[in-house]
């Protein structure tokens, strides 16, 4: 979906997945795939390329998207539920950090599975990658804070502060 170029300035990044159905063709044809990525050290194709019968491949892809969306939505909203317990009378920082842990994992899982790019096909690729990395850091931060809130006496404080800063 992007625009392949020979320089970083003129490329247009877009990683929206595409499913192309080719009608019945009696002659041979050539498939050309052009990939350019100057922003990451690992360049290449993000999604697997599969050729096959559209009656078999498309339902399989839709089923995979459904299960990814189910996991992402469940974990993200469960995390939000636990995070919103701080607004009620049962405030507990353990629940808040657990909710932050679950919500950041849910967002990260959706970003890895590229669920969001099916709903927002023109979303900027660099921003989605940055938010994905932020969710990983937030996951690690919430995990350390959650463990520290459960076992406050057993943790070595300099290590906890170092891990949170890292």
């Amino acid at each position: 979906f992007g625009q392949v170029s020979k320089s970083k300035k003129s490329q247009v990044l877009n990683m929206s997945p595409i499913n192309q159905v080719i009608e019945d063709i009696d002659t041979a044809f050539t498939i050309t795939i052009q990939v350019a990525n100057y922003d990451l050290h690992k360049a290449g194709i993000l999604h697997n390329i599969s050729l096959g019968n559209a009656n078999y491949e498309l339902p399989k892809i839709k089923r995979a998207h459904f299960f990814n969306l189910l996991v992402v939505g469940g974990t993200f909203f469960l995390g939000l539920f636990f995070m919103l317990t701080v607004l009620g009378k049962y405030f507990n920082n353990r629940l808040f950090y657990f909710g932050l842990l679950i919500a950041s994992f849910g967002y990260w899982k959706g970003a890895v599975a590229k669920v969001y790019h099916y709903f927002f096909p023109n979303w900027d690729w660099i921003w989605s990658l940055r938010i994905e990395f932020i969710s990983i850091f937030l996951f690690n931060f919430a995990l350390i804070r959650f463990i520290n809130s459960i076992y406050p006496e057993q943790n070595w404080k300099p290590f906890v502060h170092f891990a949170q800063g890292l």
Side-chain angles (χ1 to χ4, degrees):
F1 274 162
Q3 179 179 348
V4 179
S5 66
K6 294 184 179 184
S7 69
K8 183 177 179 176
K9 292 180 181 179
S10 60
Q11 74 176 349
V12 176
L13 301 173
N14 193 337
M15 62 178 189
S16 298
I18 185 171
N19 298 318
Q20 183 66 42
V21 177
I22 301 172
E23 299 299 327
D24 294 333
I25 299 174
D26 293 334
T27 60
F29 58 93
T30 304
I31 298 175
T32 304
I33 300 172
Q34 297 178 343
V35 177
N37 184 353
Y38 298 100
D39 292 311
L40 293 176
H41 67 283
K42 284 184 169 181
I45 297 172
L46 179 66
H47 299 284
N48 293 333
I49 297 173
S50 61
L51 299 174
N53 187 348
N55 294 330
Y56 173 74
E57 291 291 328
L58 290 178
K60 186 171 78 170
I61 291 169
K62 288 180 182 180
R63 192 170 28 255
H65 293 320
F66 170 74
F67 286 120
N68 282 332
L69 189 60
L70 188 68
V71 169
V72 168
T75 55
F76 185 73
F77 286 111
L78 182 67
L80 287 180
F81 170 74
F82 280 117
M83 286 174 60
L84 292 177
T85 58
V86 300
L87 300 176
K89 63 181 180 178
Y90 301 111
F91 174 73
N92 189 347
N93 62 351
R94 294 176 187 169
L95 288 178
F96 176 75
Y97 290 126
F98 180 70
L100 186 61
L101 178 78
I102 297 293
S104 61
F105 175 76
Y107 182 84
W108 175 77
K109 172 64 177 149
V112 168
K114 307 304 175 213
V115 170
Y116 307 118
H117 292 281
Y118 287 96
F119 296 108
F120 308 109
N122 295 324
W123 195 11
D124 189 20
W125 181 75
I126 292 296
W127 279 106
S128 67
L129 191 64
R130 287 178 183 165
I131 294 172
E132 179 182 342
F133 289 152
I134 288 170
S135 69
I136 286 291
F137 291 124
L138 193 61
F139 175 81
N140 292 329
F141 173 78
L143 177 65
I144 291 169
R145 292 296 295 200
F146 176 63
I147 292 172
N148 190 33
S149 66
I150 291 177
Y151 305 109
E153 301 299 324
Q154 289 86 357
N155 291 328
W156 187 44
K157 298 297 180 194
F159 174 73
V160 170
H161 295 305
F162 172 75
Q164 285 177 350
L166 184 63

